[in-house]
């Protein structure tokens, strides 16, 4: 019943993919990252309805003033910063817990190959974290979410097709593994 399970997550991703373009960007993102005051106020009105949001806007302006002199760190600088080790440890534990989700079992591979697939899943997670943290400031969360869900939906369709054909063509099982790696990377970059 893996195909039903994968189809369900694909359905949820499709629903989110359809509705995400209608939601505005995050007001703090628009103000703090993009410097778009008008867009920030417009997004606040769209998200929270008509009202006076000057208090919230002033708080974000104070936060922007506080972070104005703060240097944006790249991935290597973050890894060298000891104060973020507890947060990095929690994030790594959460990423490693994806190993227990059963994605490796969907590929229908021989038991001797599964440890290598698990290693590949971990490497895919690492690649997605590094890549996402490098591009999130450039593209913004909304764009990464939207494109991530679109890519995940496409990969799930391909994976479902590949799973159906894996009994007829043994090499399709390796395509399953590659698609699982791509799904994990798309998930890590997007959602």
């Amino acid at each position: 019943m893996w195909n039903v399970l994968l189809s369900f997550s694909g359905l949820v991703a499709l629903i989110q993919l359809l509705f995400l373009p209608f939601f505005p960007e995050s007001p703090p993102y628009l103000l703090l990252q993009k410097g778009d005051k008008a867009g920030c106020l417009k997004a606040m009105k769209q998200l929270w309805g008509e009202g006076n949001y000057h208090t919230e806007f002033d708080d974000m302006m104070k936060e922007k003033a506080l972070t104005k002199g703060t240097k944006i760190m790249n991935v290597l600088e973050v890894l060298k910063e000891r104060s973020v080790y507890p947060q990095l440890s929690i994030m790594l534990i959460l990423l490693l817990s994806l190993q227990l989700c059963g994605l490796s079992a969907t590929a229908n591979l021989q038991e001797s190959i599964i440890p290598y697939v698990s290693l590949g899943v971990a490497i895919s997670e690492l690649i997605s974290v590094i890549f996402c943290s490098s591009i999130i400031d450039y593209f913004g969360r909304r764009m990464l979410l939207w494109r991530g869900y679109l890519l995940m939906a496409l990969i799930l369709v391909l994976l479902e097709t590949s799973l159906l054909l894996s009994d007829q063509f043994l090499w399709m099982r390796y395509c399953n593994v590659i698609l699982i790696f791509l799904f994990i990377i798309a998930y890590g970059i997007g959602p």
Side-chain angles (χ1 to χ4, degrees):
M1 300 294 292
W2 280 104
N3 54 350
V4 175
L5 181 64
L6 289 174
S7 299
F8 179 73
S9 61
L11 177 67
V12 173
L14 180 64
I15 291 170
Q16 292 177 355
L17 180 64
L18 292 174
F19 289 106
L20 192 59
F22 299 107
F23 289 98
E25 288 282 357
S26 165
Y29 170 76
L30 288 171
L31 184 65
L32 300 175
Q33 299 291 325
K34 297 277 187 169
D36 185 6
K37 293 179 183 178
C40 175
L41 289 171
K42 181 181 174 188
M44 288 173 131
K45 287 180 183 176
Q46 191 175 357
L47 287 170
W48 301 329
E50 291 296 324
N52 186 1
Y53 303 112
H54 289 291
T55 306
E56 291 85 359
F57 186 78
D58 290 340
D59 288 342
M60 283 190 265
M61 288 299 288
K62 289 176 187 174
E63 183 179 347
K64 184 176 181 177
L66 286 173
T67 60
K68 189 171 186 173
T70 306
K71 180 186 173 224
I72 296 176
M73 298 168 62
N74 63 27
V75 176
L76 292 175
E77 291 171 337
V78 170
L79 291 175
K80 292 177 184 176
E81 182 65 37
R82 291 179 123 359
S83 64
V84 297
Y85 282 179
Q87 294 90 344
L88 285 174
S89 301
I90 291 171
M91 183 181 71
L92 285 173
I93 289 170
L94 288 173
L95 288 173
L96 292 174
S97 68
L98 188 58
Q99 296 291 323
L100 304 175
C101 74
L103 271 174
S104 301
T106 64
N108 198 16
L109 293 171
Q110 300 161 347
E111 195 171 323
S112 62
I113 298 175
I114 291 180
Y116 300 109
V117 173
S118 295
L119 179 63
V121 167
I123 291 170
S124 299
E125 292 167 2
L126 182 64
I127 289 169
S128 66
V129 167
I130 291 170
F131 190 65
C132 181
S133 60
S134 302
I135 64 171
I136 194 166
D137 289 333
Y138 182 74
F139 288 108
R141 290 184 181 133
R142 180 177 176 212
M143 185 61 69
L144 288 180
L145 277 171
W146 189 77
R147 288 185 179 173
Y149 279 125
L150 181 63
L151 189 58
M152 286 169 55
L154 176 66
I155 291 169
L156 286 174
V157 168
L158 292 173
L159 183 59
E160 178 65 25
T161 306
S162 179
L163 284 170
L164 291 173
L165 296 174
S166 66
D167 289 336
Q168 295 172 348
F169 306 102
L170 293 179
W171 58 269
M172 288 298 273
R173 294 177 180 182
Y174 298 100
C175 290
N176 296 346
V177 173
I178 293 169
L179 289 169
I180 288 170
F181 294 163
L182 291 175
F183 179 82
I184 292 168
I185 291 171
Y187 177 81
I189 291 173

